[in-house]
Amino acid sequence: MNMNCTTFRANLDAYIDSELDKKTRRAMEEHATACPECGALLNEAMDVVTRCAELNEGLTVPLECQAAWRRAVREEAEAKDKARARRRSKHRASRNAWVRALSAAAAVLVLVFAVGTQLGPNGLSGLTPALKNRGVDGGYSAPGAAMYEDHATPTYESADYDMMYASNAVTPISGAATSGVLLQSDGAADQTLSTAAKSDSGVVVLRSANRAISTKEFDADQMYIDDLVAEYEAYFESRRVTGNAEDANRLLKATIRVPSDSLDDFLTALDLRGVVTLREESAEDITANYNDVAARLEVLRTQLAPTR
Amino acid sequence: MQDAQTERKLIERAGRGDQSAFEELLSAQEGRMYAVALRMCGNREDAQDCMQEAMIRIFRAIGTFKGQSSFATWVYRITMNSCLDELRRRKARTSTSLDAMIENGFAPTDENDTPERHSLQSEQRRMLEKAIAGLPEDMRAAIVLRDIQGCSYDEIAQVLETNVGTIKSRISRGRERLRAVLSQQPELFGRHMV
């Protein structure tokens, strides 16, 4: 190989990482011997890398750190058990007719806001160009999308798949939340999640999150989402797959509702798959709408009572 | 280090909610998690917080680990994400740049105050750690994983969720920056530095 200073420098890191073939390696070493400047550079580079490799020598995890993470995990496990117990308790309570009525009201709200989120600009506007590129227009030309035009648009290389999803979480009245998913074959998926909950102070907050995730394992990741939905007792509000297994541009788009207690865990688990190219979360105070619907429901119930 | 079979069994048990299995499984990973967190955050306190956060994320998600990558790679990925999240939070909390922190005496190191602290070797080590802490986050992550932790390019690409070409570029530029910084300390690194 014709080695000069330029090619020597270009190959320097590959040499350090033992990525060169024998012939090129020998040429590098011969050049380093013949050229004092490149020889010094090689020594310098090797020196830095060697010193980096030695940094962990004698490094031990401090005892307080070892104890802290174990304590944190145990607390997390206890919190999880308590949350599970609370959910069971809520399920029992939901048998009560009055609670059932409230749940219905909350479900309506969740549905409305889930749709709003899904069609809204903060959810899917960033994905629209990619969908158009694939000829997949899901009708997400959201009103107000212009407000979000400066959002980074995910790039969807044909070899990848992208997923976008949004979630809303509120203090649970209905005990259930919703999310949506759009998945693109060898390419992309969109999700929208929502949950509604009422705090002790009476404030009802709706949280939403969007994700764009790209993967090269469309089928496996689609199954992963199915597993997640089952594990977290969530359900698909809507789900659409475009393209087929031979298509390099498959797309899954879905809306999923997740129990509000599990929303954060659901998001954590979801973010571990594929490459997340967009991550957005928001919260909205829907107390007024909730109270309005609850009041109207109460009026309707009162009107209905004499007819029974 | 656990063998593959033991690790697989522990993952299964931890996935079913067995907390003791989880602790045994992660005990084998805590050293590398702490090393990554320490080099990324630059101090013990934040490293401990990031490691703790990563452990909780892993605990929440262990049931969903399906072996799509090695367990160690998966753990690295979650740890690195916790660190990057912490660095972003740190940026949001204060406008103080890392450069300014370093100027003000910020010195990322794990060493305790020992008599050797002021020895030449310790000083070289401290300067190197400082130089690594001064790298941009993406370069630092690649250098930490490659040159300190000894990960392969493929593994780093999985951890940082990007392609091998980008990783090679970040490593190359990171090493170049380290050489440039350390060459300004000829009394410590004068042997080869030009």
Side-chain angles (χ1 to χ4, degrees):
Chain A
M1 181 177 184
N2 184 20
M3 184 65 64
N4 55 33
C5 295
T6 306
T7 49
F8 180 88
R9 284 167 189 267
N11 283 317
L12 183 60
D13 289 295
Y15 177 86
I16 292 170
D17 293 325
S18 304
E19 290 225 315
L20 295 177
D21 58 57
K22 271 186 184 173
K23 197 177 168 187
T24 312
R25 195 170 180 80
R26 199 175 308 121
M28 289 281 288
E29 285 159 359
E30 285 169 0
H31 180 80
T33 307
C35 173
E37 198 177 330
C38 288
L41 176 63
L42 178 61
N43 284 334
E44 180 186 320
M46 291 297 286
D47 193 36
V48 169
V49 170
T50 304
R51 287 177 194 277
C52 282
E54 291 169 352
L55 278 182
N56 281 351
E57 282 180 8
L59 180 68
T60 53
V61 184
L63 289 176
E64 62 180 90
C65 185
Q66 294 184 33
W69 76 256
R70 283 172 174 80
R71 195 165 50 240
V73 165
R74 283 168 198 166
E75 284 171 2
E76 175 70 17
E78 282 172 20
K80 210 169 181 177
D81 288 344
K82 282 180 186 169
R84 204 174 289 134
R86 270 204 309 273
R87 273 204 298 276
R88 275 198 296 268
S89 168
K90 277 172 191 161
H91 282 303
R92 279 196 297 272
S94 69
R95 292 190 193 105
N96 178 286
W98 170 242
V99 175
R100 270 207 305 276
L102 271 184
S103 298
V108 170
L109 285 176
V110 168
L111 179 64
V112 168
F113 278 82
V115 171
T117 302
Q118 193 172 4
L119 297 182
N122 58 343
L124 300 175
S125 62
L127 190 70
T128 304
L131 294 177
K132 285 178 180 170
N133 288 344
R134 286 178 157 70
V136 181
D137 184 356
Y140 292 94
S141 54
M147 288 168 59
Y148 296 85
E149 281 177 358
D150 59 343
H151 279 199
T153 301
T155 54
Y156 299 94
E157 294 176 4
S158 59
D160 296 332
Y161 97 71
D162 302 290
M163 174 190 294
M164 181 171 194
Y165 99 81
S167 81
N168 304 337
V170 187
T171 311
I173 293 170
S174 61
T178 308
S179 77
V181 183
L182 173 65
L183 179 66
Q184 205 155 358
S185 164
D186 287 342
D190 276 339
Q191 283 192 324
T192 304
L193 279 166
S194 60
T195 309
K198 190 174 185 181
S199 68
D200 292 341
S201 62
V203 175
V204 183
V205 177
L206 185 68
R207 280 173 54 205
S208 64
N210 293 329
R211 293 289 188 278
I213 303 173
S214 142
T215 183
K216 292 178 181 174
E217 298 171 0
F218 184 89
D219 291 321
D221 283 353
Q222 191 173 216
M223 285 172 66
Y224 176 80
I225 292 169
D226 289 345
D227 289 345
L228 275 187
V229 166
E231 182 183 342
Y232 287 93
E233 298 174 344
Y235 65 90
F236 284 93
E237 185 178 270
S238 68
R239 176 180 187 145
R240 187 177 65 169
V241 177
T242 54
N244 53 49
E246 288 74 39
D247 187 350
N249 297 323
R250 256 191 301 173
L251 182 72
L252 164 67
K253 190 166 193 172
T255 301
I256 303 170
R257 290 197 178 271
V258 183
S260 48
D261 284 348
S262 308
L263 184 67
D264 289 333
D265 289 353
F266 189 94
L267 291 174
T268 301
L270 187 68
D271 287 352
L272 296 172
R273 290 300 283 234
V275 177
V276 180
T277 56
L278 179 68
R279 187 180 279 124
E280 285 182 338
E281 287 172 31
S282 62
E284 189 176 358
D285 184 344
I286 57 166
T287 310
N289 284 351
Y290 168 77
N291 289 338
D292 181 47
V293 172
R296 278 190 282 157
L297 184 65
E298 178 60 17
V299 169
L300 289 172
R301 282 168 48 83
T302 308
Q303 289 173 348
L304 192 61
T307 65
R308 282 179 177 163
Chain B
M1 187 61 70
Q2 294 139 354
D3 61 48
Q5 197 179 1
T6 305
E7 184 183 84
R8 200 165 45 246
K9 283 180 181 171
L10 287 173
I11 290 170
E12 284 173 12
R13 284 171 51 201
R16 290 195 299 267
D18 185 334
Q19 194 182 310
S20 66
F22 179 84
E23 290 187 18
E24 188 180 341
L25 178 68
L26 270 298
S27 292
Q29 305 289 337
E30 67 178 355
R32 68 185 76 188
M33 289 174 73
Y34 179 69
V36 166
L38 180 66
R39 304 305 168 201
M40 288 305 295
C41 298
N43 65 75
R44 291 173 60 156
E45 290 71 28
D46 285 348
Q48 181 171 318
D49 288 347
C50 285
M51 185 171 158
Q52 199 169 305
E53 173 68 24
M55 286 292 189
I56 290 173
R57 290 185 188 185
I58 293 167
F59 181 72
R60 286 175 179 168
I62 186 78
T64 67
F65 177 72
K66 300 282 191 278
Q68 61 274 20
S69 65
S70 79
F71 185 66
T73 301
W74 189 69
V75 167
Y76 266 138
R77 184 172 166 186
I78 295 172
T79 307
M80 187 59 81
N81 283 339
S82 291
C83 294
L84 294 173
D85 287 347
E86 167 58 25
L87 293 174
R88 284 183 204 114
R89 281 195 294 269
R90 188 188 287 175
K91 266 186 195 166
R93 276 200 303 268
T94 171
S95 58
T96 306
S97 70
L98 189 58
D99 286 344
M101 290 165 69
I102 291 170
E103 286 289 312
N104 292 329
F106 169 76
T109 177
D110 185 55
E111 64 189 350
N112 296 309
D113 282 328
T114 62
E116 300 80 41
R117 187 164 180 217
H118 300 294
S119 70
L120 178 65
Q121 199 177 1
S122 292
E123 188 62 13
Q124 287 172 334
R125 182 190 176 102
R126 202 180 67 82
M127 289 307 300
L128 179 59
E129 288 173 328
K130 201 169 169 179
I132 291 169
L135 292 174
E137 285 165 20
D138 57 347
M139 282 185 212
R140 197 187 324 159
I143 290 289
V144 166
L145 291 171
R146 175 65 204 171
D147 289 340
I148 300 180
Q149 298 302 114
C151 298
S152 69
Y153 285 145
D154 285 339
E155 194 174 9
I156 299 169
Q158 285 183 52
V159 172
L160 299 180
E161 302 176 61
T162 186
N163 59 59
V164 170
T166 302
I167 294 302
K168 284 184 177 178
S169 167
R170 287 178 188 172
I171 290 171
S172 179
R173 285 183 291 129
R175 287 173 176 169
E176 198 175 338
R177 283 205 189 197
L178 288 182
R179 288 199 297 272
V181 171
L182 298 181
S183 67
Q184 290 167 9
Q185 309 287 333
E187 69 282 6
L188 293 176
F189 298 92
R191 191 154 53 101
H192 303 300
M193 299 297 173
V194 290

